[in-house]
Amino acid sequence: MERLEMLYIGAVCRATALKQKAVDFWKSEKGVSNIVATIILLLIVVLIIGVFWDQLSTWLSKMMNNIFNSSYDNSSLESGISINN
């Protein structure tokens, strides 16, 4: 019985210390507002991407097709300026 009592007292002491540390952490608020603000900003960015995903994917597809499926045409450069006047 004495062993069980010692375990109980130790557990209660650790729980009380943990509770006090948690209370002190929430009272100090050092850095907590920065963390919360960062998480909120990340959630807003993810939400915006989720809402506009169809438009973004269409736009990105068009941009990639313009970049990779285009050929260089210099005919407008040749006809515009003549160096040999």
Side-chain angles (χ1 to χ4, degrees):
M1 195 65 155
E2 186 176 314
R3 173 89 173 143
L4 185 60
E5 289 173 351
M6 293 301 287
L7 289 174
Y8 174 75
I9 291 171
V12 169
C13 289
R14 284 190 296 273
T16 304
L18 181 65
K19 178 183 175 186
Q20 188 60 41
K21 285 182 182 180
V23 168
D24 292 342
F25 174 77
W26 288 111
K27 282 184 180 179
S28 69
E29 297 179 8
K30 291 181 181 175
V32 174
S33 62
N34 292 335
I35 293 170
V36 171
T38 303
I39 291 172
I40 290 173
L41 286 174
L42 288 172
L43 289 175
I44 290 171
V45 168
V46 169
L47 180 66
I48 289 172
I49 289 173
V51 168
F52 296 109
W53 180 250
D54 290 334
Q55 292 85 4
L56 285 174
S57 61
T58 304
W59 180 75
L60 284 173
S61 296
K62 288 179 183 178
M63 292 298 288
M64 289 299 147
N65 285 335
N66 286 340
I67 292 170
F68 294 116
N69 292 335
S70 63
S71 61
Y72 180 69
D73 183 20
N74 64 356
S75 62
S76 62
L77 294 175
E78 291 174 357
S79 65
I81 300 174
S82 175
I83 296 176
N84 299 334
N85 283 334

